[in-house]
Amino acid sequence: MFLMLFCFFQSERLSFPDQSDIQLECYRGPAKSRLVFFAPHENEHVAESYIKAAIQGKRAHFFILRQAGERELELKFPEGTVKVDPNRIFTPAGSAASLLKTNPDLTTDSPLYKQAFTRCNRLGYWLTQNMGLFKRKTVIIAVHNNTDGFDDDGKGGEGTISMVRYQKRFEAGAKYIRRIFIGPGDEDDLIFLTHWRDYRYFKKRKFSIVQQHKQVGRLPDEDDGSLSVWAEKFHRRYLNLEAQRDPDHLEVQQKMVDTVLKRFL
Ligand SMILES: [Zn+2]
């Protein structure tokens, strides 16, 4: 019986048709599952094994984007290679801005840029399509890990994810933040989400929370091509579970996963 259960939960790897070394590792639950876990950054895998085990036999899917184990993807062409953040390719405007930022030598009139731009858009569509994100009732659970502190925090921190930084941004009038709640935990462990009802639910359970402002779906300046912006444009419910790595805050992220499963299943 035990063995049979495992047989029902097989993974498969889909290759992106335009570039076969970019793959989507799929752990699929029953067809009607509406809960979709997604890990776009391959080097952020603190809770990966935990999620695989936790959704066994449950109505949830888990997808991991794979290439070479790095945060950024390499898009390869005869003319050269460009790098792109896989969480910046879900809208055309985001892809364009992200490509130019990540590859300073790239110019918009070059053939390489045009090919890379097309590939980003096709990859974004391929991912959303294969993960079933266009289905209306889908709840997207992005899974990320971030570094201790944040750039310029005066304590040697790195990155852009931290409740301290979000609070500063919120107070400075950042248009992408609707509201925030600072829980008792570490500044790097937080849930970034789209829906007020989920904000209330997770606030009650003392998680730190950032609720994205709906206007990111219509303000061009706020469109960074990330999946949370896509979710706003397509009216999908989205929650991003963020926990620190190095040292890994595995226990906190496990608790986030457990709470998500309890809420949505
Ligand atoms: Zn990430």
Side-chain angles (χ1 to χ4, degrees), residues 30-252:
K32 282 190 176 166
S33 309
R34 66 169 183 148
L35 203 53
V36 176
F37 287 85
F38 175 45
H41 293 135
E42 210 179 351
N43 63 336
E44 300 171 11
H45 45 66
V46 170
E48 187 181 298
S49 309
Y50 185 76
I51 296 168
K52 285 181 200 167
I55 67 167
Q56 292 259 357
K58 301 217 169 80
R59 287 159 64 110
H61 309 297
F62 181 27
F63 299 97
I64 306 165
L65 186 58
R66 300 261 184 226
Q67 189 184 36
E70 306 290 328
R71 175 187 172 82
E72 286 166 347
L73 296 175
E74 285 193 345
L75 305 180
K76 299 165 186 170
F77 305 94
E79 294 83 357
T81 295
V82 301
K83 290 192 173 199
V84 71
D85 180 338
N87 195 31
R88 293 289 180 273
I89 56 164
F90 292 100
T91 68
S95 299
S98 176
L99 278 172
L100 296 173
K101 196 177 159 196
T102 316
N103 306 274
D105 296 339
L106 214 54
T107 52
T108 49
D109 53 359
S110 68
L112 183 57
Y113 168 81
K114 285 170 189 162
Q115 292 179 80
F117 178 65
T118 301
R119 190 163 297 178
C120 285
N121 290 325
R122 289 175 57 89
L123 179 59
Y125 182 77
W126 181 75
L127 288 170
T128 46
Q129 180 73 16
N130 276 293
M131 293 193 290
L133 306 191
F134 288 108
K135 290 181 195 162
R136 203 167 47 85
K137 286 189 175 166
T138 295
V139 179
I140 306 166
I141 312 294
V143 185
H144 289 268
N145 296 113
N146 64 79
T147 41
D148 193 18
F150 59 101
D151 298 333
D152 308 319
D153 65 359
K155 297 184 285 186
E158 271 179 68
T160 57
I161 307 292
S162 146
M163 279 316 288
V164 177
R165 187 173 182 276
Y166 278 123
Q167 187 177 23
K168 285 183 180 180
R169 290 292 155 115
F170 185 51
E171 282 165 3
K175 290 185 183 136
Y176 67 98
I177 303 175
R178 178 69 181 83
R179 51 172 71 83
I180 66 171
F181 171 72
I182 301 188
D186 185 278
E187 64 178 288
D188 296 295
D189 303 329
L190 60 105
I191 302 177
F192 186 98
L193 50 74
T194 52
H195 280 51
W196 164 237
R197 281 171 291 162
D198 296 328
Y199 175 90
R200 272 192 315 194
Y201 183 89
F202 287 93
K203 181 182 174 185
K204 225 180 207 174
R205 285 153 185 83
K206 303 278 188 284
F207 290 98
S208 290
I209 310 156
V210 179
Q211 186 190 354
Q212 177 171 265
H213 202 298
K214 292 214 174 306
Q215 65 190 2
V216 303
R218 51 187 162 79
L219 297 179
D221 286 353
E222 298 298 321
D223 180 356
D224 65 358
S226 61
L227 191 55
S228 67
V229 169
W230 182 92
E232 216 67 78
K233 285 183 188 291
F234 286 85
H235 310 292
R236 290 296 172 277
R237 202 159 172 171
Y238 169 98
L239 298 94
N240 166 12
L241 313 182
E242 278 278 0
Q244 190 187 309
R245 63 184 155 101
D246 302 322
D248 296 348
H249 291 183
L250 174 60
E251 249 177 65
V252 185

